[in-house]
Amino acid sequence: MLARARARQAVERHERHAAKAMMVRSPLLPSEFSPLLPSASNQVLSFYLNLESRSDRRSQMEAMLSARRLRAQRVPAATVRDAEVLCMARAHPGKATGYLANLASHTSVWERVAAQEDTSLALIFEDDVLLHRDWWALLHASLCAIAKKGTGVG
């Protein structure tokens, strides 16, 4: 019974932190993106999830991030053997443990993002992401398009 309550709390905590981190106080204008983009890329709050057992992916990820001039903090990914994941699995018997481990991993990152003051942009990657060589320009174009349309959130 206690395990189920903890697992439900973990899921609820994830949802609260994700909602807080995704809240947009007001739509950003294209001119407001400039400090976040290429020349200031090292100022963007960035994380990547990586299993401890996948040092090969860690090496590839760090090489790619370096080539793209981006600093990202490695966050150890949860595994199906972690106590929190096992607890969640007992509380949600129909859910795959791999899914729950992924949920726990992302929860830990969203908690870090939500704890930051005035985070206008946070990037969260998994260790198998491939970033296009012009990814900053593509991100900038996407953010500008969103700002022009308005987000509908406010």
Side-chain angles (χ1 to χ4, degrees):
M1 190 65 130
L2 183 59
R4 283 188 180 165
R6 284 185 185 156
R8 283 196 186 105
Q9 288 173 346
V11 171
E12 289 168 3
R13 188 174 66 240
H14 165 72
E15 291 170 352
R16 277 194 315 276
H17 288 297
K20 180 181 173 190
M22 294 177 70
M23 283 191 326
V24 177
R25 291 186 184 92
S26 61
L28 297 174
L29 301 174
S31 62
E32 294 174 304
F33 295 132
S34 57
L36 302 175
L37 295 166
S39 62
S41 63
N42 291 331
Q43 297 173 9
V44 175
L45 187 62
S46 305
F47 302 94
Y48 74 95
L49 292 164
N50 169 252
L51 286 167
E52 201 65 46
S53 63
R54 294 302 305 261
S55 59
D56 59 322
R57 284 190 176 182
R58 181 179 185 173
S59 297
Q60 290 172 347
M61 188 69 182
E62 290 176 356
M64 182 188 58
L65 291 170
S66 177
R68 302 294 185 262
R69 298 185 334 245
L70 179 68
R71 292 184 191 156
Q73 181 180 353
R74 180 187 173 273
V75 177
T79 70
V80 296
R81 293 183 181 93
D82 289 350
E84 181 180 8
V85 175
L86 293 172
C87 184
M88 290 169 71
R90 284 190 294 275
H92 302 281
K95 297 285 184 190
T97 54
Y99 168 83
L100 295 172
N102 187 276
L103 174 65
S105 298
H106 282 272
T107 298
S108 70
V109 176
W110 281 112
E111 287 173 342
R112 291 175 190 214
V113 171
Q116 300 295 314
E117 294 291 324
D118 285 338
T119 300
S120 56
L121 180 63
L123 303 173
I124 301 170
F125 305 107
E126 292 192 12
D127 63 6
D128 59 352
V129 70
L130 296 174
L131 293 175
H132 188 278
R133 70 175 175 262
D134 296 325
W135 77 284
W136 270 122
L138 296 168
L139 176 62
H140 183 264
S142 297
L143 293 173
C144 289
I146 290 169
K148 274 186 178 178
K149 279 182 160 180
T151 61
V153 180

